[in-house]
Amino acid sequence: DPMLLKNKFRGTMLGVLVGDCLGSPYEGLTTISRHRKVLLQRRLNKLWNTKFREPVMVYTDDSAMTRSLAESLIEKQDLDIVDVAKRFAKSYHEEPDRGYGAGTATVLKEWKRHVEETNIKIPAKNLFDGLGSYGNGGAMRIAPVALFSYNNYDKLLYYVKEATEITHAHKLGINGAILQAIAIQQSLCLNASEELNVTNFVDDLINKMDKIENASEFKERLNIVKNLLSEDGDEPNEQRVVEQLGVKVRALESVPTAIFCFLKAQKRIKRIRTDDPLRRAIQYAISLGGDTDTIASMTGAIAGAFYGYEKFSVLLLSHCEEWERFREMADKLLDIATSIDINK
Ligand code: R7I
Ligand code: MG
Ligand code: MG
Ligand code: MG
């Protein structure tokens, strides 16, 4: 159904933006107190249901890099990593204060001088004593690549790796981006009007990661996701989630967490008052603390791909910087992704 797919593509891109905008004020707080959670509940009630003027919520590096990647795919009708690098560098140069990670910023500054096919991957390889970055910066921006190649799994894997390696050379950084992309792709292919089998969702991810080189750490985390989901006691399990999955800027301690937030929010969660499971997922992600903009953004992308754009309130969207631009990028990515399919 083309309308359904359009809704899901929009949901993905707007999930990135909304999660980032809503989560960024809390980034870095190690514990979100009970009091702060009440304030978060009230703030989201207001943002979801009220019309007001400025200020809009600004986005951070997560959405800025997502936007550059999407615009490059749209303009080039393919993945051209030199063009992506140029756009990343330009966007950083114009707005360096969007909260970029230190390693990524180093790469972006080096590209500013000159970037070509031959040297593009070198700065990322030199980061962190030559090990490369295991930050979540590759995963946080990967949604457009997942959309672009949603109907060709081998291409998806290859493009995700290529798009990530230019800043994140560490296997954990790359595999984190792969996991986030396949979670989005799985969500796109499911029907939200049928009940989601959360165990199957995780098992499918585990089976796919099993075929990726050196991905044992992520498979372990996905098994923890499954265990945590099977706990359905009354008490909130935030503490155990934070301890066992993590809420850090490392890909390993944030991508599985985002997947967990999406799946956990299929059911009601104590002290999160909303009937909207998409909002519940994002609100829950923020309530865990830590790297809130990124984990909420990655959760938003996966949940948005599942539920679609119509689950966001238009009032909420209207409070997010450049939301219409993100919606338009989603539509263009869909046009390209489906026309490539026809030509095949
Ligand atoms: O991954 P990256 O783009 O950062 C994304 C995060 C998100 O939370 C954004 O919202 C933004 O706030 O930043 O940036 P990197 O600098 O590559 O990685 C993030 C951080 O992880 C680094 O600045 C390091 O502190 C840490 N890190 C490492 N530390 C030691 N050794 C990443 N890789 C390594 C490593 O190999
Ligand atoms: Mg950020
Ligand atoms: Mg930061
Ligand atoms: Mg972050």
Side-chain angles (χ1 to χ4, degrees):
D1 178 354
M3 275 318 286
L4 189 64
L5 204 52
K6 183 169 185 163
N7 199 3
K8 281 171 162 282
F9 267 57
R10 287 178 167 193
T12 308
M13 289 298 284
L14 289 161
V16 171
L17 178 69
V18 166
D20 183 15
C21 288
L22 290 175
S24 67
Y26 305 86
E27 192 184 20
L29 296 173
T30 44
T31 49
I32 305 283
S33 65
R34 177 83 72 92
H35 175 64
R36 214 180 257 282
K37 282 179 195 158
V38 173
L39 296 181
L40 175 65
Q41 172 76 35
R42 280 194 213 141
R43 179 165 166 260
L44 296 199
N45 288 348
K46 190 174 167 199
L47 287 165
W48 235 271
N49 303 310
T50 325
K51 190 174 172 68
F52 53 89
R53 282 173 188 268
E54 307 287 340
V56 293
M57 295 183 284
V58 296
Y59 61 70
T60 77
D61 59 325
D62 306 52
S63 302
M65 297 190 92
T66 300
R67 196 194 84 188
S68 296
L69 198 36
E71 288 178 344
S72 179
L73 288 165
I74 292 163
E75 179 69 29
K76 297 288 171 183
Q77 308 248 323
D78 201 357
L79 179 68
D80 174 343
I81 54 175
V82 175
D83 185 70
V84 172
K86 284 179 181 160
R87 286 170 196 266
F88 282 166
K90 180 166 183 281
S91 169
Y92 175 73
H93 178 68
E94 286 167 1
E95 297 170 324
D97 299 326
R98 294 250 186 207
Y100 288 84
T104 295
T106 305
V107 174
L108 298 175
K109 279 180 213 152
E110 285 187 39
W111 282 340
K112 232 187 69 198
R113 277 177 250 134
H114 68 136
V115 46
E116 302 155 24
E117 195 79 53
T118 48
N119 67 7
I120 188 167
K121 290 183 183 172
I122 292 170
K125 284 192 180 127
N126 290 336
L127 287 180
F128 301 106
D129 300 321
L131 296 172
S133 171
Y134 51 54
N136 55 23
M140 75 186 185
R141 66 178 188 233
I142 209 63
V145 179
L147 295 177
F148 182 80
S149 44
Y150 85 100
N151 54 10
N152 185 335
Y153 187 69
D154 291 333
K155 182 166 140 187
L156 180 142
L157 293 181
Y158 177 70
Y159 277 12
V160 170
K161 189 162 183 281
E162 283 288 300
T164 304
E165 271 177 349
I166 59 175
T167 53
H168 290 68
H170 197 289
K171 67 164 184 176
L172 293 175
I174 296 166
N175 287 340
I178 289 177
L179 179 57
Q180 172 66 9
I182 64 182
I184 291 170
Q185 201 260 1
Q186 275 187 200
S187 274
L188 282 174
C189 297
L190 289 165
N191 185 345
S193 60
E194 289 163 21
E195 197 186 330
L196 177 63
N197 183 323
V198 298
T199 307
N200 286 353
F201 192 93
V202 184
D203 282 336
D204 287 347
L205 292 175
I206 292 172
N207 290 334
K208 287 173 190 159
M209 291 310 281
D210 202 38
K211 298 185 180 69
I212 306 292
E213 264 178 75
N214 301 315
S216 57
E217 297 92 340
F218 282 99
K219 281 188 286 174
E220 278 165 33
R221 297 275 161 153
L222 288 167
N223 278 306
I224 298 172
V225 168
K226 248 191 347 182
N227 292 339
L228 287 167
L229 285 168
S230 68
E231 288 180 7
D232 51 10
D234 244 9
E235 31 68 268
N237 61 352
E238 277 98 327
Q239 197 52 42
R240 275 196 305 291
V241 176
V242 171
E243 280 164 17
Q244 295 182 25
L245 291 178
V247 287
K248 300 231 168 85
V249 298
R250 296 181 190 148
L252 186 62
E253 287 163 276
S254 49
V255 178
T257 314
I259 292 164
F260 174 77
C261 291
F262 161 61
L263 296 172
K264 165 98 177 161
Q266 296 294 307
K267 293 195 195 144
R268 301 196 131 276
I269 300 174
K270 208 174 180 189
R271 286 200 276 276
I272 294 185
R273 291 179 200 88
T274 174
D275 294 325
D276 176 350
L278 179 52
R279 168 174 165 184
R280 192 185 299 138
I282 291 173
Q283 188 171 336
Y284 181 70
I286 296 170
S287 77
L288 297 176
D291 192 3
T292 48
D293 62 337
T294 306
I295 298 174
S297 180
M298 295 192 296
T299 301
I302 302 166
F306 184 70
Y307 296 110
Y309 158 75
E310 279 154 16
K311 279 267 189 257
F312 289 107
S313 91
V314 179
L315 288 173
L316 170 76
L317 293 173
S318 72
H319 307 318
C320 295
E321 182 183 5
E322 291 189 351
W323 76 276
E324 284 160 307
R325 186 168 180 174
F326 277 72
R327 185 180 60 183
E328 192 185 322
M329 289 188 285
D331 292 349
K332 289 184 175 163
L333 284 168
L334 177 65
D335 281 348
I336 299 171
T338 48
S339 67
I340 288 171
D341 190 37
I342 289 161
N343 295 336
K344 236 182 0 202

